[in-house]
Amino acid sequence: MVFSSVNWVGDEDGFIELIDQRQLPGKFVKLRCRDVQSIGKAIQTLAVRGAPAIGVAAGYGLVLAIQNLPENGSLKSGLAKLKDAREYLGSLRPTAVNLSWALDKVYGCAEKFVIEQSQANLPLLQQCVLAEANAICQEDKEMCRRIGQNGQEFIKNDYGILTHCNAGALATAGQGTALSIMYEAKKAGKHFKVYVDETRPLLQGARLTAWELRQEGIDVIVICDNMAGWLMKQGRINAVITGADRIAANGDAANKIGTYSLSILANHHRIPFYIAAPTSTFDLTISSGPDIPIEQRSADEVQFVGDKRTVPEGVKVLNPAFDVTQAEFITAIITERGIIEKPDTGKIATHLH
Ligand code: MRU
């Protein structure tokens, strides 16, 4: 992978460097975030996006939260800043559980450090927070590679694979989840095509997945979202592979709006439907899909394509950013630990144990 979507540059006084995904594929531009507000804005406006990538970015956001405190400041003030930043950043993308997962992990580590280390001071707390954020970033890279290796068996020579949104390197700190499977299948010498839904309203498939797969030399064909069923009927799709933003204890999986419809279509045409996600995407506090919070985004995203208004002024629109696919339509969930076939509560509990 020749690029990395999220990076920390420097020591505790460094900054976050992101690929500004709003500008792809037209421009490859890096964005530097030096305070909590700017990383918050980057997360909210999808400059950085994809569940694992926003988790990693938010982890580094906590480093920024305590960066400019005076060296001799109190640990209490440091923890208070971290808490505020955790609440603010965690509220920005409610469906992607990796966001709160990463924030809780970094905050929990800071809290433990303050309680357990008698000589703790602010500079040491800053080091501790950066070390934990770096660990999450490294872990993500490793998880991505393993998901790819575990899932590549599902891609056979001459397959047509359908994917939705972007669950690739741009959406993680590593080589992606769903797309990692494709990268590993290519590495194993397999030939296949990837059909990519353009993914309205923000076109993550057309803009980002097509760009990313092309960079990696994979045969990619963009289709409009409403073409998937017809391609399935024609026998061009042998498997559907997508990512996930949150998976409930019973295997119901939230992903970019449109994924649910694909799962129904795949089921009807007897095409396997795979979800690729790290174990950090499971939320065992939620027993099933209807309890997963669904992010509602601005109507502008539906009313405009770029600068051009496509919906008459005054007309109401809906913009739920995610939907939930029931476990019964998922052939298997592929994680860094292995495969959960026909997922259900028992198999998931065993897998995560
Ligand atoms: O709104 P986005 O672009 O952040 O939505 C991203 C997705 O739906 C991805 O499929 C998901 O986060 C998996 S990322 C590996």
Side-chain angles (χ1 to χ4, degrees):
M1 200 57 55
V2 291
F3 63 86
S4 173
S5 67
V6 191
N7 268 316
W8 179 262
V9 182
D11 298 323
E12 297 88 70
D13 58 352
F15 55 87
I16 306 171
E17 191 174 69
L18 306 168
I19 295 172
D20 187 345
Q21 300 189 36
R22 297 166 300 192
Q23 311 220 33
L24 285 171
K27 289 187 193 151
F28 184 87
V29 176
K30 299 263 178 93
L31 180 71
R32 291 178 172 185
C33 298
R34 296 178 187 275
D35 55 45
V36 174
Q37 290 303 320
S38 61
I39 187 62
K41 190 167 173 226
I43 290 171
Q44 193 158 36
T45 60
L46 274 51
V48 58
R49 46 146 299 283
I54 57 179
V56 172
Y60 285 131
L62 293 194
V63 184
L64 297 177
I66 52 168
Q67 197 170 52
N68 294 321
L69 295 178
E71 245 180 62
N72 57 357
S74 73
L75 287 168
K76 205 171 154 210
S77 66
L79 277 184
K81 286 267 181 208
L82 288 173
K83 201 168 179 204
D84 288 350
R86 178 180 71 160
E87 264 164 42
Y88 163 62
L89 295 172
S91 70
L92 297 173
R93 303 282 327 261
T95 304
V97 75
N98 304 66
L99 178 59
S100 50
W101 172 84
L103 286 165
D104 289 350
K105 223 167 174 242
V106 177
Y107 182 79
C109 181
E111 205 171 34
K112 187 164 178 271
F113 178 79
V114 169
I115 293 168
E116 287 179 2
Q117 300 294 318
S118 53
Q119 337 75 321
N121 56 30
L122 264 184
L124 289 176
L125 179 65
Q126 287 162 346
Q127 280 175 23
C128 155
V129 170
L130 178 58
E132 187 63 11
N134 276 334
I136 289 173
C137 184
Q138 282 311 316
E139 212 179 284
D140 189 62
K141 291 181 205 275
E142 183 57 21
M143 285 190 302
C144 288
R145 208 174 47 77
R146 292 224 190 108
I147 288 170
Q149 289 169 342
N150 291 340
Q152 66 93 8
E153 64 173 281
F154 296 119
I155 298 184
K156 312 275 184 236
N157 255 334
D158 300 323
Y159 260 24
I161 311 291
L162 177 65
T163 191
H164 191 66
C165 194
N166 173 267
L170 287 166
T172 63
Q175 62 180 32
T177 56
L179 299 197
S180 175
I181 291 171
M182 299 167 202
Y183 297 140
E184 292 296 328
K186 181 172 180 255
K187 226 194 257 174
K190 297 176 198 176
H191 301 278
F192 55 92
K193 279 185 177 48
V194 181
Y195 294 91
V196 181
D197 273 351
E198 61 178 358
T199 318
R200 277 286 287 151
L202 293 179
L203 304 174
Q204 288 93 329
R207 293 187 304 106
L208 306 177
T209 299
W211 178 83
E212 186 181 322
L213 289 176
R214 192 153 189 252
Q215 298 279 319
E216 295 300 314
I218 288 180
D219 191 1
V220 55
I221 301 158
V222 173
I223 59 169
C224 299
D225 297 351
N226 50 7
M227 297 173 184
W230 184 237
L231 261 65
M232 288 181 185
K233 171 92 176 153
Q234 290 177 322
R236 293 207 215 180
I237 310 292
N238 303 97
V240 180
I241 312 178
T242 76
D245 280 72
R246 190 185 296 239
I247 305 175
N250 73 341
D252 291 352
N255 192 49
K256 180 54 56 191
I257 190 80
T259 306
Y260 166 68
S261 319
L262 285 183
S263 75
I264 303 286
L265 284 169
N267 201 262
H268 177 80
H269 291 96
R270 300 186 196 294
I271 294 167
F273 182 93
Y274 301 107
I275 295 268
T279 48
S280 52
T281 301
F282 287 80
D283 181 355
L284 298 187
T285 69
I286 284 182
S287 57
S288 64
D291 291 332
I292 297 179
I294 300 295
E295 178 183 356
Q296 305 292 322
R297 291 187 60 88
S298 160
D300 284 356
E301 293 177 353
V302 178
Q303 288 168 327
F304 291 86
V305 176
D307 293 339
K308 196 171 162 56
R309 176 176 271 284
T310 55
V311 178
E313 252 178 275
V315 171
K316 289 183 254 178
V317 299
L318 286 175
N319 190 13
F322 298 93
D323 57 27
V324 179
T325 297
Q326 289 108 290
E328 63 179 293
F329 297 126
I330 300 172
T331 309
I333 301 178
I334 301 150
T335 79
E336 76 277 12
R337 294 194 193 169
I339 314 291
I340 313 169
E341 279 177 29
K342 297 198 176 107
D344 63 25
T345 308
K347 287 182 195 168
I348 288 172
T350 308
H351 189 83
L352 298 182
H353 189 62

